[in-house]
Amino acid sequence: MTTDKPRPAADKPAPATPLEFGIAEQVALYQREFPTVDPQVETIVQTLNRVSRRMGVAYDRQLTVLGITSAEWEVLKALVVAGSPYQLGPGELAKRLGLTPAAMTHRIDRMVADGLVTRERDENNRVRVIIELTETGRDKWLESMRMAAVFEEELLQDVAGEDRAALSAMLGRMLRRIEESRPDAPGRTAGQA
């Protein structure tokens, strides 16, 4: 049996809430619970965190358009960075990417099936396997770089000239401080300025 009476307020769905607090609001909430937090430091850190997360989402979307994953992109990058003839052994790839040999084998299997890399025995050492970037793999890597360059230029459109140099230097110092104080942290970028 149905009635035409309006539903009581308790039966109404709750209003939608934002997925994320604004940074100022989040910092204020932190200060409420932890009054000695430095709001300026927390604002910077929260902003960097959100920029990083949103950049990751944007890059993942671009890779999806190209039909590759970020994990596959990392393999393509390692081969490109190795230089021509764009070859590495699976063990060296695993080491560079911080993967177990089994995980690397699984990743390479998918990439061979997709035509991004080849896996061949070394003619001079039949025990050694060589992973080589294909033309398709290189083209996808290059297109991802083109797409990323457009996105990154848009991202930094409000930061020009000397400000870019200053921002780069500041972020570099922050990164070095993290790496020096947390040498066991993954994602080290030793050798970068």
Side-chain angles (χ1 to χ4, degrees), residues 149-190:
V150 169
F151 166 69
E152 290 159 359
E153 196 57 43
E154 290 173 2
L155 179 69
L156 291 169
Q157 67 185 334
D158 297 325
V159 183
E162 292 176 11
D163 289 342
R164 283 189 184 189
L167 178 60
S168 177
M170 287 185 282
L171 292 172
R173 287 192 304 270
M174 288 174 65
L175 180 59
R176 280 190 298 280
R177 182 172 305 279
I178 291 170
E179 290 179 346
E180 289 167 3
S181 66
R182 309 280 190 285
D184 59 337
R188 289 187 53 85
T189 53

Side-chain angles (χ1 to χ4, degrees), residues 91-106:
E92 180 61 24
L93 271 171
K95 183 178 175 183
R96 289 181 184 206
L97 299 177
L99 297 173
T100 65
M104 191 74 251
T105 298
H106 180 68

